[in-house]
């Protein structure tokens, strides 16, 4: 039974008698049984007792009371051995026990009662429950008391700023993290995931583990936590391809986790679970009845658990080495089991045993320090206000180092540098498979005892074998051949354009702009060669350069081709929308999977860049469509390309939209994507070049004049006396013909002057004809009807009824009077007088007018000026035979 603290003197005599009787019974029981709860060994009467405050749960009313009861035999054994060896002579340890009952209020009351009513305690030993221990440990600095715990594993107590006087012989829960790191490195697991129950104890371990793994080239690919149902978190771990799972949860939740793992198939040769190893023996047997059997059977749970690795501190060293007590850990364990009898063993008994030895070694070291200082102080001089002795005890404990039953005992900032063990669940039982020495930072796997479901340890991820998806060489060759054919065609168009640049048809269609269109097409063709070059042909660095080059080549080619085409249309639009303008300048079996590796050209602001490019090129095409629409009515075929521009824009627009969409959807198929991109470029470039140049080629070979003639050009003749008042109405011109117009007008003036001279000569010839009655008769008989037919064909005049009038004169009305060939007896005088008579004048006019009109008919679309004279038959005289004309022009304004 625990020793009772002192009570105030106001107690009644009956109460004092009862307490005295109880104390006597307790002393008698202790002396008769060495496993009792007394603080001093039986033969300690000759020594000076040093009081140590023992704080721990002992009652049966709390679950952790079994821990306190389980460690009492170990502590009693240590006290006896220390006394027998006279380690602290002339002192002996007087361990006084105070039951905290794992309750904060009761624990604090027990602590303050011990301070107020008990003897002066040099140290505090114990601390099992986390909350009680943390509250007391935080207040120790006010009492200059050093506390040593054997069972408090919470990581919170490692904060030396908050708990500077706290030590523990049991490793912290965080002490397993360096061991886990060593295990991960041993099996080369570099990718893990964590699954944590939402409890502070587990969250602290998880957070510390994150810090331990940071910078160790180990990736925590997923961090999941849960409160009650872990299945959602387990499913997420599987979705992220986590194969090595580090769990932090209690026994009850562990059973649920493995049921979820079974349902998700997260067990077997592909997975490895690493969980806490401090669960009670056969913990799963207690957890199975709590599970819903319809979701997880016992056999399913055990199947999912098979192979998990537990990590926990080593309760007893496995080394066959004598400890500070002169016994091996195995010999100590045998004595402990003998002393505890029917009391349930506690996993902390070895740490409690070593803890008593730590207190003894600390006091021994403090005695040496005091003796060395010659201050005549003794350890029994300590009181709660003596900071100097309290600091000496603190430093002495921090320097403690010996080999105990739990391994090498030493502290680093108050934390035990202990041994961590690894166990594995094999065939429905836990088997120790290795241990980690924190002092040496070494991992030992016992005879390769770890068993895996497969022939080798699980992989930390699905093994990815990168396979570069290459563009097929035959496909590249075929499309390159088509591209070469397209470039040859473009070169042929370029040759044709340069060779015929002085032809009116080509000159009117702006040959320099045509050259730019061809250049843009050839640049677009050239980009296909670069689009087909991937990692199978060039290095990665070169490919990055090609990404930029091929994009700019295609962009510049597109802009050059359509920019030049639209510039041509703009020129025509500007001319015909502004008739005052004279000139316009030219414009400018194992867990292995295959991961296809694809090479794409991307940059940080890809979306913005593409948006800008698509926007301005779209505006360029819309502007071209506008110009084509505005110039659709131009009547000169050599200038009017609106129909072909519209067709080009339509084809390119549709193909680009379809090509871009299909290319985006086939990004994971480089052969298909390259084929689509190449065919779109080839089709667009070829169609555009053919629409621009094929019609010109055909027209130039068949009827070059028809393309340059204004189909809607009409002239209005209004002969005036002054040539300076002549007006010419032209409805369509172009830049090339504007410079020639002045020359043609000059030629026109010269021709009109020549016609005037011919009129004079014609009049003389007509007058001479009057002396030849035979020819006059010939003209009368053969050419009047011919002249009438010519005039009627060209619609020279029409009457109101639409009938073609016959050229008439007075000779038709009285032929016998005017053309009587039998009057040959006239005298010369009569003939001369008759020439100037009104009848002769009328006759001359009737002959001259048809001849003059016949000469002027070509200017209004009539007979050619090169035809024979209408007055004389081609066979009548050598003087009137057909002479080829020197000029083939249209004359107006006569």
């Amino acid at each position: 039974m625990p020793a009772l603290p002192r009570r105030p003197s106001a107690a009644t005599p009956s109460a004092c008698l009862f307490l005295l009787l109880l104390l006597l019974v307790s002393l008698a029981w202790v002396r008769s049984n060495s496993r009792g709860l007394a603080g001093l060994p039986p033969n300690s009467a000759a020594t000076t007792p040093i009081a140590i405050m023992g704080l721990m749960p002992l009652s049966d009313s709390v679950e952790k009371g079994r821990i306190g009861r389980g460690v009492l035999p170990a502590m009693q054994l240590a006290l006896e051995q220390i006394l027998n060896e006279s380690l602290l002579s002339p002192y002996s340890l007087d361990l006084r026990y105070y039951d905290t009952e794992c309750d904060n209020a009761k624990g604090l009351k027990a602590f303050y009662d011990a301070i107020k009513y008990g003897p002066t305690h040099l140290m505090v030993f114990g601390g099992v429950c986390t909350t009680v221990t943390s509250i007391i440990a935080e207040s120790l600095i006010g009492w200059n008391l050093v506390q040593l715990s054997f069972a408090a594993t919470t990581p919170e107590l490692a904060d030396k700023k908050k708990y500077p006087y706290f030590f523990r012989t049991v490793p912290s829960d965080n002490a397993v993290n360096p061991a886990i790191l060593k295990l991960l490195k041993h099996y080369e697991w570099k990718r893990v995931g964590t699954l944590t129950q939402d409890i502070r104890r587990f969250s602290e371990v998880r957070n510390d583990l994150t810090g331990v793994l940071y910078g160790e080239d180990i990736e925590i690919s997923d961090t999941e936590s849960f409160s009650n149902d872990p299945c959602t978190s387990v499913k997420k771990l599987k979705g992220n391809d986590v194969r090595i799972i580090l769990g932090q949860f209690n026994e009850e939740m562990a059973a649920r986790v493995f049921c979820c793992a079974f349902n998700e198939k997260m067990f077997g040769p592909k997975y490895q679970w690493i969980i806490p190893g401090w669960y009670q023996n056969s913990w799963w047997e207690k957890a199975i009845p709590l599970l819903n059997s319809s979701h997880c059977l016992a056999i399913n749970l055990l199947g999912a658990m098979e192979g998990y690795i537990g990590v926990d501190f080593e309760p007893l060293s496995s080394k066959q080495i004598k400890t500070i007590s002169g016994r091996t850990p195995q010999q100590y364990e045998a004595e402990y089991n003998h002393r505890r009898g029917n009391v349930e063993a506690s996993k902390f008994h070895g740490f409690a045993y070593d803890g008593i030895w730590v207190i003894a070694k600390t006091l021994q070291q403090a005695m040496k320090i005091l003796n060395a200082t010659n201050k005549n102080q003794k350890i029994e001089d300590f009181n709660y206000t003596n900071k100097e002795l309290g600091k000496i005890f603190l430093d002495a404990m921090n320097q403690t180092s010996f080999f105990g039953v739990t391994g090498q005992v030493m502290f680093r900032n108050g934390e035990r540098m202990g041994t961590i063990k690894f166990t594995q669940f094999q065939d429905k039982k836990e088997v120790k498979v290795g241990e980690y020495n924190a002092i040496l930072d070494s991992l030992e796997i016992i005879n390769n005892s770890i068993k895996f479901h497969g022939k080798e340890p699980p992989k930390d991820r699905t093994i990815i074998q990168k396979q570069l998806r290459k563009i097929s060489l035959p496909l590249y060759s075929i499309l390159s051949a088509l591209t070469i054919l397209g470039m040859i065609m473009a070169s042929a168009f370029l040759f044709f354009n340069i060779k015929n640049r002085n032809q009116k048809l080509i000159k009117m269609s702006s040959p320099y702009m045509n050259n730019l269109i061809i250049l843009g097409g050839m640049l677009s063709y050239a980009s296909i060669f670069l689009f087909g070059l991937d990692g199978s042909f060039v290095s990665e660095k070169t490919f990055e350069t090609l990404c930029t080059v091929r994009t700019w080549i295609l962009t510049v080619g597109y802009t050059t081709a359509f920019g030049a085409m639209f510039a041509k249309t703009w020129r025509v639009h500007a001319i015909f929308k502004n008739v005052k303008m004279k000139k316009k300048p030219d414009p400018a079996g194992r867990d292995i999977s295959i991961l296809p590796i694809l090479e794409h050209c991307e940059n940080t602001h890809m979306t913005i860049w593409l948006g800008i490019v698509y926007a301005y090129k779209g505006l360029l095409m819309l502007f071209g469509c506008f110009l084509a629409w505005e110039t659709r009515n131009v009547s000169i075929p050599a200038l009017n390309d609106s129909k072909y521009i519209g067709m080009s824009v339509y084809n390119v627009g549709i193909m680009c939209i379809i090509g871009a969409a299909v290319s985006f959807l086939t990004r994971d198929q480089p052969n298909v994507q390259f084929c689509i991109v190449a065919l779109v470029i080839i089709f667009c470039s070829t169609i555009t070049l053919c629409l621009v140049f094929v019609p010109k080629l055909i027209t130039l070979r068949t009827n070059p004049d028809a393309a340059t003639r204004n189909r809607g050009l009409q002239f209005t003749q209004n002969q005036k006396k002054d040539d300076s008042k002549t007006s010419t109405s032209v409805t369509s011109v172009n830049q090339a013909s504007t410079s020639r117009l002045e020359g043609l007008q000059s030629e026109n003036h010269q021709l009109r002057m020549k016609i005037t001279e011919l009129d004079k000569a014609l009049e003389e010839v007509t007058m001479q004809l009057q002396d030849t009655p035979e020819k006059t008769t010939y003209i009368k008989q053969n050419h009047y009807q011919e002249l009438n037919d010519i005039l009627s064909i060209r619609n020279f005049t029409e009457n109101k009824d639409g009938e073609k009038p016959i050229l008439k004169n007075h000779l038709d009305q009285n032929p016998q009077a005017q053309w009587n060939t039998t009057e040959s007896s006239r005298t010369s005088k009569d003939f001369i007088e008759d020439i100037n008579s009104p009848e002769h004048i009328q006759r001359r006019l009737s002959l001259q007018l048809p001849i003059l009109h016949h000469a002027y008919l070509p200017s209004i679309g009539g007979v050619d000026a090169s035809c024979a004279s209408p007055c004389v038959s081609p066979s009548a005289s050598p003087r009137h035979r057909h002479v080829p004309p020197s000029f083939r022009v249209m004359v107006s304004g006569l």
Side-chain angles (χ1 to χ4, degrees):
M1 297 179 62
L4 298 177
R6 295 180 185 179
R7 299 296 180 185
S9 58
T12 61
S14 60
C16 293
L17 181 62
F18 174 76
L19 292 175
L20 179 60
L21 179 62
L22 181 60
L23 179 60
L24 292 175
V25 172
S26 299
L27 290 176
W29 180 79
V30 168
R31 290 185 177 182
S32 63
N33 191 340
S34 61
R35 299 190 300 270
L37 301 179
L40 292 174
N43 57 352
S44 62
T47 59
T48 302
I50 298 175
I52 304 297
M53 185 189 302
L55 295 175
M56 62 195 74
L58 295 170
S59 62
D60 296 333
S61 61
V62 293
E63 180 182 0
K64 290 190 177 181
R66 56 187 173 84
I67 296 178
R69 297 190 300 270
V71 300
L72 285 178
M75 293 188 294
Q76 187 67 32
L77 182 60
L79 291 171
E80 292 177 2
Q81 293 173 353
I82 292 171
L83 183 61
N84 291 336
E85 294 185 8
S86 301
L87 186 66
L88 295 176
S89 179
Y91 303 104
S92 61
L93 295 178
D94 181 12
L95 184 58
R96 295 175 176 259
Y97 305 99
Y98 300 90
D99 188 3
T100 62
E101 300 183 29
C102 279
D103 183 86
N104 294 345
K106 294 180 180 179
L108 282 175
K109 184 178 185 303
F111 174 73
Y112 288 121
D113 284 347
I115 294 293
K116 184 175 182 180
Y117 304 115
T120 301
H121 302 84
L122 270 66
M123 293 183 185
V124 177
F125 183 67
V128 176
C129 304
T130 300
T131 56
V132 177
T133 303
S134 60
I135 292 174
I136 295 175
E138 190 173 3
S139 63
L140 291 176
I141 190 172
W143 306 96
N144 296 307
L145 282 172
V146 176
Q147 179 179 4
L148 179 65
S149 174
F150 58 85
T153 61
T154 175
E156 177 187 0
L157 295 171
D159 186 359
K160 302 314 294 181
K161 293 182 179 179
K162 191 175 183 180
Y163 311 104
Y165 281 77
F166 180 81
F167 291 79
R168 50 188 166 192
T169 56
V170 63
S172 166
D173 289 338
N174 287 344
V176 302
N177 291 332
I180 292 175
L181 172 62
K182 205 70 176 180
L183 181 68
L184 295 176
K185 289 185 175 180
H186 179 76
Y187 289 108
E188 298 181 353
W189 290 329
K190 296 184 178 181
R191 184 175 183 270
V192 300
T194 62
L195 182 63
T196 309
Q197 185 179 355
D198 284 334
I199 295 178
R200 181 177 181 180
R201 174 184 181 183
F202 301 125
S203 299
E204 289 177 347
V205 177
R206 190 266 319 279
N207 294 339
D208 182 75
L209 177 63
T210 302
V212 170
L213 298 182
Y214 179 79
E216 294 292 340
D217 195 26
I218 296 179
E219 172 195 359
I220 300 180
S221 60
D222 192 11
T223 300
E224 297 294 335
S225 59
F226 65 93
S227 297
N228 296 315
D229 184 12
C231 290
T232 302
S233 298
V234 171
K235 185 178 295 185
K236 290 181 179 179
L237 290 173
K238 181 180 181 181
N240 290 326
D241 193 34
V242 176
R243 303 299 183 87
I244 311 300
I245 304 101
L246 309 179
Q248 286 291 331
F249 32 75
N250 58 29
E251 294 100 322
E252 180 183 354
M253 287 299 173
R256 296 185 182 183
V257 167
F258 282 111
C259 282
C260 297
F262 176 83
N263 294 330
E264 295 294 333
K265 309 297 182 184
M266 291 184 66
F267 63 96
K270 295 183 178 181
Y271 296 92
Q272 182 60 60
W273 289 84
I274 301 176
I275 64 174
W278 45 259
Y279 300 160
Q280 295 295 320
N281 293 332
S282 303
W283 59 268
W284 55 89
E285 295 179 356
K286 299 178 182 179
I288 288 177
L290 302 177
L291 299 175
N292 189 342
S293 59
S294 62
H295 292 84
C296 184
L297 301 176
I299 189 173
N300 299 337
L301 175 62
L302 295 175
M305 290 169 53
E306 185 67 25
Y308 80 74
I309 295 177
V311 187
D312 193 19
F313 52 81
E314 181 72 272
L316 286 176
S317 175
S318 59
K319 299 183 182 302
Q320 300 289 335
I321 302 176
K322 289 187 177 182
T323 65
I324 190 173
S325 65
R327 299 167 178 81
T328 63
Q330 293 73 26
Q331 291 173 341
Y332 155 76
E333 186 177 19
E335 291 188 36
Y336 167 75
N337 290 331
H338 176 71
R339 278 184 175 265
R340 70 180 177 85
N342 295 326
V343 177
E344 182 183 359
S346 172
K347 64 182 295 185
F348 297 99
H349 68 87
F351 298 103
Y353 177 85
D354 284 343
I356 299 297
W357 279 97
V358 168
I359 293 175
K361 292 292 291 183
T362 300
L363 293 175
Q364 183 187 46
Q365 181 65 21
M367 291 168 60
K368 292 180 180 179
I369 295 174
L370 291 174
N371 291 334
T373 59
N374 296 321
K375 292 183 178 181
N376 296 322
Q377 277 189 320
K378 298 181 180 180
I379 58 176
E380 66 265 26
D381 296 336
F382 172 79
N383 58 59
Y384 298 131
T385 60
N386 194 332
K387 293 184 178 181
E388 184 179 358
L389 278 178
K391 186 66 168 57
I392 290 175
F393 293 156
L394 180 66
D395 294 338
M397 184 172 289
N398 209 23
Q399 296 174 7
T400 302
S401 178
F402 61 86
F403 186 78
V405 296
T406 58
Q408 187 68 30
V409 179
M410 64 179 300
F411 302 98
R412 182 177 297 169
N413 294 326
E415 292 297 302
R416 168 72 185 275
M417 303 298 293
T419 302
I420 306 299
K421 71 171 181 177
F422 293 95
T423 59
Q424 188 178 36
F425 188 75
Q426 300 176 1
D427 299 328
K428 300 181 182 180
K429 61 182 179 181
E430 289 183 327
V431 179
K432 182 179 178 180
V433 294
E435 63 180 30
Y436 168 76
N437 189 318
I439 298 175
L440 301 177
D441 190 27
S442 62
L443 175 66
E444 179 185 359
I445 303 298
I446 302 174
N447 298 325
N448 296 322
S449 56
I450 296 183
K451 297 180 180 179
F452 298 105
H453 291 274
K455 296 181 180 180
E456 57 184 359
K459 302 299 180 182
D460 60 2
R461 70 195 75 193
T462 301
I463 298 177
I464 305 299
Q465 290 186 352
K466 295 182 178 180
Q467 186 180 69
L468 180 64
R469 287 193 172 180
K470 305 176 182 179
I471 294 177
S472 172
L473 183 59
L475 176 63
Y476 182 74
S477 302
I478 294 173
L479 293 176
S480 297
L482 293 177
T483 303
I484 293 173
L485 292 177
M487 297 184 75
I488 293 174
M489 180 195 69
S491 300
F493 287 150
L494 180 63
F495 174 77
F496 165 79
N497 193 68
I498 295 176
K499 180 180 179 181
N500 299 282
R501 64 184 181 277
N502 292 323
Q503 294 286 341
K504 183 179 293 187
L505 172 64
I506 303 302
K507 184 175 291 187
M508 293 179 69
S509 66
S510 301
Y512 296 110
M513 292 298 167
N514 293 341
N515 292 342
L516 289 178
I517 294 174
I518 297 173
L519 176 60
M522 296 187 74
L523 287 175
S524 300
Y525 282 130
S527 66
I528 297 176
F529 297 111
L530 303 182
F531 274 105
L533 297 178
D534 56 11
S536 59
F537 297 100
V538 297
S539 64
E540 182 176 353
K541 185 176 182 179
T542 305
F543 181 78
E544 293 179 0
T545 304
L546 288 178
C547 286
T548 304
V549 173
R550 71 189 189 186
T551 302
W552 279 109
I553 288 179
L554 180 59
T555 304
V556 172
Y558 174 92
T559 305
T560 302
F562 279 90
M565 183 185 299
F566 298 154
K568 290 174 52 178
T569 311
W570 168 255
R571 177 176 60 83
V572 177
H573 172 269
I575 291 174
F576 285 94
K577 291 301 178 181
N578 187 1
V579 295
K580 297 180 180 179
M581 186 191 296
K582 295 253 178 134
K583 207 169 188 181
K584 278 287 179 183
D586 292 337
R590 293 166 55 188
D591 191 15
I592 299 175
S593 65
I594 303 299
L595 176 64
I597 301 299
L598 303 174
E599 295 177 312
H600 294 291
C601 295
E602 295 181 355
N603 58 29
T604 306
H605 305 289
M606 191 71 173
T607 304
I608 299 175
W609 190 86
L610 288 178
I612 295 174
V613 171
Y614 290 156
Y616 93 81
K617 291 189 180 297
L619 292 175
L620 178 64
M621 296 187 71
L622 290 176
F623 184 64
C625 293
F626 166 76
L627 294 178
W629 174 261
E630 287 292 306
T631 59
R632 68 190 184 279
N633 293 323
V634 174
S635 57
I636 300 178
L639 294 176
N640 191 356
D641 290 336
S642 60
K643 178 175 67 174
Y644 304 124
I645 291 175
M647 294 173 64
S648 298
V649 171
Y650 176 80
N651 289 324
V652 172
I654 294 299
M655 291 302 297
C656 287
I657 294 174
I658 296 175
V662 177
S663 177
F664 177 80
L665 296 176
T666 58
R667 295 184 66 186
D668 57 340
Q669 302 178 40
N671 284 320
V672 177
Q673 186 184 42
F674 170 63
C675 183
I676 292 173
V677 171
L679 290 178
V680 167
I681 295 175
I682 292 173
F683 179 82
C684 294
S685 301
T686 304
I687 288 296
T688 300
L689 291 175
C690 289
L691 287 174
V692 171
F693 291 99
V694 169
K696 292 178 174 57
L697 182 64
I698 296 174
T699 303
L700 191 64
R701 296 298 181 188
T702 57
N703 190 6
D705 292 334
T708 59
R709 186 179 301 140
N710 188 344
R711 291 173 296 188
L713 190 63
Q714 296 180 355
F715 295 93
T716 303
Q717 295 189 109
N718 187 11
Q719 178 65 39
K720 298 183 179 180
K721 296 181 180 179
D722 192 354
D723 290 340
S724 62
K725 294 182 179 181
T726 302
S727 62
T728 303
S729 176
V730 181
T731 61
S732 61
V733 291
N734 62 9
Q735 183 178 358
S737 60
T738 301
S739 61
R740 299 187 59 190
L741 183 60
E742 296 178 358
L744 294 175
Q745 289 176 346
S746 176
E747 292 181 16
N748 197 0
H749 177 72
Q750 295 176 2
L751 291 175
R752 287 202 302 271
M753 296 296 294
K754 189 173 182 178
I755 289 174
T756 303
E757 296 176 359
L758 292 176
D759 284 341
K760 294 179 180 179
L762 180 62
E763 185 177 357
E764 294 177 359
V765 171
T766 304
M767 294 178 67
Q768 293 175 5
L769 289 176
Q770 302 300 324
D771 300 332
T772 309
E774 300 83 3
K775 296 192 176 185
T776 302
T777 303
Y778 177 83
I779 293 173
K780 170 192 171 187
Q781 295 176 352
N782 296 288
H783 290 278
Y784 275 171
Q785 186 61 39
E786 179 182 351
L787 291 174
N788 282 322
D789 292 341
I790 293 173
L791 293 176
S792 64
I793 292 173
R794 304 307 295 173
N795 293 324
F796 184 76
T797 59
E798 285 192 15
N799 56 17
K800 293 181 180 181
D801 297 333
E803 298 179 354
K804 301 174 182 177
I806 303 300
L807 180 63
K808 298 181 180 180
N809 55 36
H810 66 286
L811 297 178
D812 293 328
Q813 300 172 1
N814 193 8
Q816 297 297 328
Q818 301 296 333
W819 297 90
N820 190 355
T821 58
T822 60
E823 298 178 356
S824 57
S825 60
R826 301 178 111 186
T827 63
S828 229
K829 182 178 179 180
D830 295 334
F831 175 74
I832 294 173
E833 292 176 356
D834 291 338
I835 289 177
N836 295 322
S837 66
E839 291 82 1
H840 284 81
I841 293 174
Q842 181 73 17
R843 184 179 61 183
R844 287 200 304 271
L845 290 176
S846 66
L847 290 174
Q848 290 177 0
L849 286 176
I851 296 174
L852 290 175
H853 284 300
H854 186 68
Y856 300 153
L857 284 179
S859 65
I860 60 173
V863 297
D864 199 293
S866 63
C867 67
S869 173
C871 301
V872 183
S873 173
S875 59
S877 174
R879 295 183 303 162
H880 299 94
R881 68 178 180 272
H882 175 70
V883 179
S886 300
F887 301 95
R888 186 179 295 270
V889 297
M890 295 182 290
V891 183
S892 64
L894 296 179

